[in-house]
Amino acid sequence: AQSVTQLDSHVSVSEGTPVLLRCNYSSSYSPSLFWYVQHPNKGLQLLLKYTSAATLVKGINGFEAEFKKSETSFHLTKPSAHMSDAAEYFCVVRPNTGGFKTIFGAGTRLFVKA
Amino acid sequence: SQTIHQWPATLVQPVGSPLSLECTVEGTSNPNLYWYRQAAGRGLQLLFYSVGIGQISSEVPQNLSASRPQDRQFILSSKKLLLSDSGFYLCAWSVPSGGPAETQYFGPGTRLLVL
């Protein structure tokens, strides 16, 4: 069975400090992995995706994520948080089984303090 | 460039009333289309997806149905709303590539409150 676990429901950082949002997945097949961001009452915006190419994936707004198969993790990082990064972040798995199965994590809300 | 529209943005409906939410995509042809529901404080759940006109697949049994009358139009419906249908409904589209690496692009969402 496939699943996604976002290990923190809330993360709080100070502006200018690093951000780490953790995601572990479980998939019987080589998955594609995504991170999306959602600002309040808005749709979702793609930050980055992993599709079996380079394990370190760079996305928009300075975010990046590293696919670690041995740890079944796909953590999202940013070296320096900005106030505009405050939002909800979703880790998403799409198993490589054909079909359209899409599994969202429960989300991590990021707070950025001035 | 491609854009995706959803309406209405907000909807308050009484229990037992019908529902129709509409989603349209511009600037692309033959997209894959998706309906998701986001319950308060939770992740998204895929409700329906469509790979072409009249082709609808349901991921979970529920009180809702979907239709795709035109290539770039996707409609979510219900004959009688339940309290549990409240939530944030998101439409998404992707360029068909036949694999899980397809990126889904999301609309602005419709917030539905059933009273």
Side-chain angles (χ1 to χ4, degrees), chain A residues 10-29:
Chain A
H10 299 85
V11 170
S12 182
V13 301
S14 297
E15 191 174 23
T17 64
V19 175
L20 170 63
L21 305 182
R22 299 183 294 166
C23 172
N24 284 8
Y25 70 92
S26 171
S27 178
S28 303
Y29 305 91

Side-chain angles (χ1 to χ4, degrees), chain B residues 82-101:
Chain B
L82 306 172
L83 288 173
S84 58
D85 291 324
S86 294
F88 193 44
Y89 288 82
L90 289 154
C91 181
W93 70 274
S94 66
V95 176
S97 65

Side-chain angles (χ1 to χ4, degrees), chain B residues 66-115:
Chain B
S67 62
R68 185 170 176 173
Q70 300 180 45
D71 181 46
R72 290 169 291 175
Q73 183 185 30
F74 206 23
I75 297 172
L76 184 69
S77 303
S78 174
K79 292 182 179 178
K80 286 186 177 182
L81 282 169
L82 306 172
L83 288 173
S84 58
D85 291 324
S86 294
F88 193 44
Y89 288 82
L90 289 154
C91 181
W93 70 274
S94 66
V95 176
S97 65
E102 291 179 15
T103 296
Q104 296 179 39
Y105 301 94
F106 287 81
T110 294
R111 188 162 300 282
L112 172 66
L113 179 60
V114 182
L115 300 175

Side-chain angles (χ1 to χ4, degrees), chain B:
Chain B
S1 64
Q2 300 87 9
T3 56
I4 179 169
H5 304 278
Q6 286 186 245
W7 64 91
T10 305
L11 191 60
V12 181
Q13 291 284 95
V15 169
S17 65
L19 173 73
S20 180
L21 303 181
E22 190 163 344
C23 169
T24 58
V25 181
E26 297 177 355
T28 188
S29 297
N30 305 314
N32 290 332
L33 296 172
Y34 310 82
W35 276 113
Y36 287 87
R37 176 169 59 203
Q38 184 179 28
R42 303 181 68 178
L44 276 69
Q45 181 183 39
L46 179 62
L47 301 176
F48 301 95
Y49 63 88
S50 171
V51 300
I53 295 174
Q55 300 179 63
I56 310 294
S57 296
S58 173
E59 282 291 293
V60 293
Q62 59 219 324
N63 183 43
L64 302 167
S65 62
S67 62
R68 185 170 176 173
Q70 300 180 45
D71 181 46
R72 290 169 291 175
Q73 183 185 30
F74 206 23
I75 297 172
L76 184 69
S77 303
S78 174
K79 292 182 179 178
K80 286 186 177 182
L81 282 169
L82 306 172
L83 288 173
S84 58
D85 291 324
S86 294
F88 193 44
Y89 288 82
L90 289 154
C91 181
W93 70 274
S94 66
V95 176
S97 65
E102 291 179 15
T103 296
Q104 296 179 39
Y105 301 94
F106 287 81
T110 294
R111 188 162 300 282
L112 172 66
L113 179 60
V114 182
L115 300 175

Side-chain angles (χ1 to χ4, degrees), chain A residues 30 32 34 36 38 41-46 49 51 88 90 94-107, chain B residues 32 34 36 38 41-46 49 51 59 88 90 94 99-109 111:
Chain A
S30 299
S32 291
F34 305 77
Y36 283 87
Q38 184 180 32
N41 296 311
K42 300 290 186 183
L44 277 70
Q45 181 184 21
L46 178 71
K49 70 177 182 181
T51 58
E88 186 133 26
F90 293 96
R94 298 195 85 187
N96 190 17
T97 56
F100 294 87
K101 195 169 186 64
T102 307
I103 305 160
F104 276 74
Chain B
N32 290 332
Y34 310 82
Y36 287 87
Q38 184 179 28
R42 303 181 68 178
L44 276 69
Q45 181 183 39
L46 179 62
Y49 63 88
V51 300
E59 282 291 293
F88 193 44
L90 289 154
S94 66
E102 291 179 15
T103 296
Q104 296 179 39
Y105 301 94
F106 287 81
R111 188 162 300 282

